[in-house]
Amino acid sequence: IGLEDDQEVILSSSYGTIKIKIKNDSNIHKKAILIYAGNKQVNILTSNNISDLGNNAIFQDIKVKLKYI
């Protein structure tokens, strides 16, 4: 989508907004965002709800909007 490695973007969900640096990876679908565990900011984007299957977090189902800075 025309972004360069280490470019800062704003990610927003219905739960919150964060500023984060990106790294391109051709193994990730072009409409997907992967944020690794350990990134403390990611919790701002996620719900505290628990899935009805397995009593787990629902991180994979959060839709975000990406905004160029």
Side-chain angles (χ1 to χ4, degrees), residues 3 13 16 22 30 36 39 42 44 56 60 65-66:
L3 296 170
S13 72
I22 65 113
K30 66 181 181 179
Y36 289 102
N39 183 313
V42 73
I44 295 169
N56 293 305
Q60 294 84 0
K65 291 182 180 179
L66 184 145

Side-chain angles (χ1 to χ4, degrees), residues 2-15:
L3 296 170
E4 297 186 21
D5 287 348
D6 294 320
Q7 183 174 346
E8 282 192 325
V9 296
I10 294 175
L11 294 180
S12 299
S13 72
S14 58
Y15 305 102

